[in-house]
């Protein structure tokens, strides 16, 4: 995928809109039409404008996007452009013409992952599940493809921050939404940190045909096959060593057959303990280290990249639509 020369104005956006669309936006729109076919024409165009403006500006903030696109649409088109960008994020009831179809970001999750997999080399796909906060306003639970030190969001759930609420149900829904996009020939690894360990996430991943690699707490116990139950951390000899073996995790009341991966890297105070359903001979000892790339991905969405932290949006639905811009812009750039 590549952009053409910037600044070529070739056709009107719509009769209602007195501005013209740059050829480069049309190229983005054509790709979106192919990979996100569920979007309506106006939704595809709005997303293309947001994405191309975000890439030009190096920011997903509305003012920066508008400023970046202004030379391409001309002074007469700025007002129409601003209105189109804002309308794209709004609920149907809040649009200038109430009741018009609103964009459902969740309908794009499986196609987004399919887009990534169409460009992917190999059949092992690492996905990282984690949460990120926008100040004290919203929290986003996201599943991202980790790739070359970064992360491409492919599914997310947005909720108000600092409020009680269930996370496991939405996480299960994200996994279920993405599962149809994965070919049976691919091996999917779902990586989570200690804060998101849950038997429900384990079961949801396995039900989708994925393989969980869930980090567990240092206090966890493990009973190797044919051995005695011990502290899981005691199975690895020390820094610079690793231990991988099958057995049973936890006490009888929470017993789970699993493979334990215990990796103690030099310079760390304690080992990293990970449970997976894969047999020991199929496990990559360093696979879990890929999860750290999602932290770099969050920084790319925020201060080191698209500056999502500058947004003032607080409505979860609008933030979810805004994340579609972040996802497509990140994928387009990395591709």
């Amino acid at each position: 995928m590549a952009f053409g020369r910037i600044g070529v104005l070739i056709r009107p956006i719509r009769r209602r809109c007195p501005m013209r669309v740059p050829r480069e936006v049309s190229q983005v729109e054509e790709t979106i039409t192919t990979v996100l076919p569920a979007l309506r024409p106006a939704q595809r165009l709005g997303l293309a404008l947001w994405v191309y403006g975000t890439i030009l500006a190096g920011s997903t903030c509305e003012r920066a996007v508008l400023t970046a696109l202004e030379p391409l649409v001309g002074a007469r088109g700025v007002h129409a452009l601003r209105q189109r960008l804002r309308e794209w994020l709004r609920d149907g009831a809040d649009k200038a013409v109430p009741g018009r179809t609103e964009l459902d970001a969740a309908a794009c999750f499986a196609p987004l992952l399919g887009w990534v997999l169409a460009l992917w080399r190999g059949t092992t796909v690492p996905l990282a599940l984690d949460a990120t906060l926008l100040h004290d306003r919203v929290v986003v639970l996201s599943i991202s493809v980790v790739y070359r030190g970064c992360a491409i969001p492919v599914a997310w759930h947005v909720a108000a921050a600092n409020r009680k609420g269930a996370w496991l149900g939405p996480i299960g829904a994200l996994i279920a939404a993405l599962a149809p996009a994965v070919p049976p020939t691919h091996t999917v690894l779902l990586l989570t940190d200690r804060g998101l360990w849950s038997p429900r996430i384990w079961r949801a991943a396995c039900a989708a045909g994925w393989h969980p690699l869930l980090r567990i707490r240092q206090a966890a116990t493990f009973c190797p096959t044919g051995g005695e139950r011990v502290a899981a951390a005691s199975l690895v000899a020390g820094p610079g060593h690793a231990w991988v073996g099958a057995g049973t995790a936890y006490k009888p009341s929470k017993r789970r057959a699993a493979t334990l991966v215990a990796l103690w890297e030099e310079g760390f105070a304690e080992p990293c303990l990970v449970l997976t359903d894969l047999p020991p001979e199929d496990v990559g000892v360093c696979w879990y280290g890929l999860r750290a790339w999602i932290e770099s991905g969050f920084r790319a969405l925020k201060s080191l990249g698209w500056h999502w932290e500058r947004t003032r949006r607080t409505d979860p639905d609008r933030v979810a639509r805004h994340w579609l811009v972040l996802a497509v812009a990140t994928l387009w750039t990395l591709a």
Side-chain angles (χ1 to χ4, degrees):
M1 294 182 293
F3 296 120
R5 291 182 297 113
I6 296 175
V8 181
L9 310 180
I10 61 169
R11 66 177 177 87
I13 282 186
R14 299 290 183 265
R15 291 182 179 178
R16 298 188 304 274
C17 185
M19 69 179 184
R20 292 178 176 271
V21 171
R23 181 179 64 191
E24 296 80 6
V25 174
S26 297
Q27 294 173 348
V28 179
E29 185 183 2
E30 289 170 4
T31 300
I32 290 172
T33 300
T34 301
V35 298
L36 301 177
L39 297 186
R40 299 166 68 90
Q43 294 169 341
R44 295 195 294 262
L45 176 59
L47 179 56
L49 288 166
W50 266 109
V51 168
Y52 188 61
T54 293
I55 293 171
L56 282 183
S59 170
T60 193
C61 297
E62 180 185 304
R63 181 175 296 179
V65 170
L66 189 63
T67 300
L69 291 176
E70 183 176 352
L72 306 183
V73 301
R76 295 181 58 188
V78 171
H79 175 74
L81 174 61
R82 181 188 295 110
Q83 184 66 15
R84 185 174 287 277
L85 293 176
R86 292 178 176 177
E87 289 281 300
W88 188 84
L89 292 169
R90 290 173 178 167
D91 296 336
D94 297 331
K95 293 181 181 292
V97 181
R100 290 199 168 184
T101 304
E102 60 193 46
L103 188 146
D104 178 14
C108 299
F109 294 165
L112 273 175
L113 180 56
W115 186 4
V116 175
L117 296 181
L119 302 169
W120 196 258
R121 294 182 179 180
T123 58
T124 300
V125 184
L127 300 179
L129 167 64
D130 212 337
T132 185
L133 283 166
L134 178 62
H135 307 300
D136 60 349
R137 300 200 293 269
V138 296
V139 60
V140 180
L141 288 165
S142 69
I143 297 178
S144 301
V145 180
V146 286
Y147 174 71
R148 294 196 175 189
C150 197
I152 304 168
V154 290
W156 51 89
H157 171 77
V158 184
N162 299 324
R163 296 182 187 177
K164 292 183 179 180
W167 283 21
L168 296 181
I171 290 173
L174 296 181
I175 294 173
L178 291 174
V182 182
T185 55
H186 285 53
T187 299
V188 176
L189 311 175
L190 182 65
L191 316 170
T192 74
D193 204 2
R194 287 176 290 195
L196 287 173
W197 159 259
S198 166
R200 287 181 61 182
I201 295 177
W202 180 287
R203 291 193 295 268
C206 292
W210 300 357
H211 300 288
L213 276 83
L214 310 187
R215 190 174 181 182
I216 58 176
R217 301 180 186 278
Q218 292 295 309
T221 62
F222 190 80
C223 180
T225 301
E228 298 182 355
R229 182 168 299 281
V230 296
S234 69
L235 292 168
V236 59
H241 293 78
W243 186 92
V244 180
T248 305
Y250 302 119
K251 297 178 180 179
S253 60
K254 298 181 179 180
R255 185 174 298 169
R256 177 168 299 281
T259 293
L260 173 68
V261 182
L263 175 63
W264 197 336
E265 295 189 76
E266 297 281 0
F268 286 79
E270 60 187 22
C272 176
L273 306 176
V274 177
L275 290 183
T276 181
D277 69 327
L278 286 164
E281 61 271 16
D282 292 342
V283 176
V285 174
C286 296
W287 276 351
Y288 186 78
L290 299 174
R291 197 210 68 84
W293 289 358
I294 197 172
E295 304 297 343
S296 300
F298 288 152
R299 288 194 291 272
L301 298 182
K302 295 179 181 178
S303 57
L304 296 182
W306 305 130
H307 295 291
W308 176 59
E309 83 284 358
R310 296 180 183 175
T311 184
R312 292 178 289 180
R313 295 182 182 87
T314 58
D315 179 77
D317 290 334
R318 295 189 183 186
V319 173
R321 296 181 190 114
H322 199 197
W323 260 63
L324 183 58
V325 176
L326 295 170
V328 175
T330 300
L331 175 51
W332 190 283
T333 302
L334 291 178

